[in-house]
Amino acid sequence: MYKVLLVEDEMVIRQGLRELIRQSAPSFEVTGEMASGREALSYLKSEVPDLMITDIRMREMDGLTLLEKVKQMYPELLVIILSGYGEFEYAQRAIRHGVLQYLLKPIERHELVSVLERAKMMLDKRYGVSTPMGAPDSPQMEDSGDARKIIRDVKEYVKLHIDGDLRLQTVASQVSLNATYLSQLFKGETGSNYSDYVSEARMERAKWLLSHTQLKIYDVARLSGHQSPKHFMLVFKQQCGMTAGEYRNQFSPSE
């Protein structure tokens, strides 16, 4: 599922949004709730959500100031701004900062669902996800078309849960297959071992984080599914021929 950060200083509104997302947008999960822009910035120093929903008017730091700072950290982060009827000028400025959408309070369910569907399409395209995760009806799929669909679903599950539990047994249960059978099927369809595919996907995510964020190396390791930062740095050097820091420096603007 895609990760959502909620930034709203009114607890009742924040709770309502969380419940609305839970009920109406199964592809999204609220993984962070912050009551202020400062809290959000602190959170974003070690976490990378796929979508941020923030109020435009908050104590300490307004949504526009937060937006400006966040876009410096994560230019590609999708952002939805919440505003009141008397704040259209703020909303116009938010649009110039590249927000996905602004929604007027009180939030209408159908409007939120509509913008979340658009966000899902954009994120699916970004991560190469083409179809929703689905479990086949039968535990044994002999037809080649069915086999290809299973492998496609497995690959997409891996992309969407790159920092989670991707053990073969766990993923096999997601597609209602025996782990041994899935391992054989994956090898037969792709020519690669499942474990090798996961390792490669996690390394690609690490490279993206290194080139697109200023997260600390141990956060990059964690968010790309590597349990040990030390092991991550060792594997990165072996596979890429340079350290993670040297890789990141390639994308730093020259002085």
Side-chain angles (χ1 to χ4, degrees), residues 111-137:
E111 291 181 346
L112 180 62
V113 170
S114 177
V115 70
L116 288 177
E117 287 177 348
R118 185 150 62 94
K120 180 180 182 301
M121 291 176 62
M122 295 172 70
L123 291 167
D124 284 350
K125 183 176 181 181
R126 178 183 299 177
Y127 294 117
V129 176
S130 58
T131 58
M133 188 69 187
D137 295 327

Side-chain angles (χ1 to χ4, degrees), residues 74-139:
Y74 305 119
E76 297 183 21
L77 178 64
L78 299 183
V79 180
I80 297 173
I81 288 283
L82 309 179
S83 68
Y85 281 100
E87 300 165 342
F88 184 66
E89 181 181 350
Y90 283 93
Q92 287 182 312
R93 287 172 58 192
I95 291 174
R96 288 198 293 270
H97 282 295
V99 300
L100 175 64
Q101 182 63 283
Y102 78 92
L103 298 175
L104 292 176
K105 295 179 178 179
I107 306 302
E108 297 288 342
R109 177 189 291 264
H110 72 278
E111 291 181 346
L112 180 62
V113 170
S114 177
V115 70
L116 288 177
E117 287 177 348
R118 185 150 62 94
K120 180 180 182 301
M121 291 176 62
M122 295 172 70
L123 291 167
D124 284 350
K125 183 176 181 181
R126 178 183 299 177
Y127 294 117
V129 176
S130 58
T131 58
M133 188 69 187
D137 295 327
S138 169

Side-chain angles (χ1 to χ4, degrees), residues 1-233:
M1 288 190 287
Y2 293 121
K3 300 176 181 178
V4 180
L5 169 62
L6 291 182
V7 189
E8 165 64 62
D9 56 3
E10 296 292 339
M11 184 176 65
V12 173
I13 297 176
R14 199 167 65 242
Q15 292 175 339
L17 279 169
R18 183 214 314 142
E19 186 62 19
L20 197 57
I21 292 171
R22 187 189 68 81
Q23 294 177 359
S24 308
S27 296
F28 291 89
E29 178 185 10
V30 176
T31 55
E33 295 183 45
M34 303 297 143
S36 71
R38 295 185 188 281
E39 289 182 9
L41 289 177
S42 178
Y43 175 87
L44 288 167
K45 288 179 180 178
S46 60
E47 299 292 339
V48 185
D50 299 294
L51 171 69
M52 182 177 76
I53 302 177
T54 180
D55 191 1
I56 208 168
R57 285 289 185 95
M58 293 181 292
R59 294 180 290 273
E60 295 185 13
M61 181 186 298
D62 63 58
L64 286 178
T65 302
L66 172 62
L67 177 61
E68 292 173 357
K69 294 180 180 296
V70 167
K71 283 296 185 177
Q72 291 174 2
M73 297 169 67
Y74 305 119
E76 297 183 21
L77 178 64
L78 299 183
V79 180
I80 297 173
I81 288 283
L82 309 179
S83 68
Y85 281 100
E87 300 165 342
F88 184 66
E89 181 181 350
Y90 283 93
Q92 287 182 312
R93 287 172 58 192
I95 291 174
R96 288 198 293 270
H97 282 295
V99 300
L100 175 64
Q101 182 63 283
Y102 78 92
L103 298 175
L104 292 176
K105 295 179 178 179
I107 306 302
E108 297 288 342
R109 177 189 291 264
H110 72 278
E111 291 181 346
L112 180 62
V113 170
S114 177
V115 70
L116 288 177
E117 287 177 348
R118 185 150 62 94
K120 180 180 182 301
M121 291 176 62
M122 295 172 70
L123 291 167
D124 284 350
K125 183 176 181 181
R126 178 183 299 177
Y127 294 117
V129 176
S130 58
T131 58
M133 188 69 187
D137 295 327
S138 169
Q140 298 297 322
M141 293 290 181
E142 299 298 338
D143 181 79
S144 59
D146 289 333
R148 285 194 296 271
K149 182 182 184 303
I150 292 172
I151 300 307
R152 184 172 66 247
D153 286 346
V154 167
K155 287 182 175 181
E156 290 171 358
Y157 185 87
V158 169
K159 291 175 183 176
L160 293 177
H161 299 81
I162 202 70
D163 60 343
D165 180 3
L166 294 179
R167 290 175 298 175
L168 180 63
Q169 293 86 346
T170 302
V171 177
S173 68
Q174 293 293 325
V175 292
S176 301
L177 288 179
N178 173 275
T180 301
Y181 179 74
L182 176 59
S183 177
Q184 296 170 347
L185 185 66
F186 195 95
K187 177 73 171 181
E189 288 293 316
T190 67
S192 301
N193 293 323
Y194 169 76
S195 59
D196 291 338
Y197 175 79
V198 171
S199 296
E200 181 179 347
R202 283 180 160 155
M203 190 56 64
E204 288 303 311
R205 177 61 172 168
K207 289 178 180 178
W208 188 92
L209 291 170
L210 288 168
S211 60
H212 288 78
T213 78
Q214 290 302 311
L215 290 170
K216 296 185 183 300
I217 300 298
Y218 58 78
D219 286 322
V220 170
R222 175 176 55 82
L223 292 172
S224 58
H226 297 86
Q227 298 301 312
S228 165
K230 185 176 181 180
H231 181 258
F232 164 70
M233 290 186 283

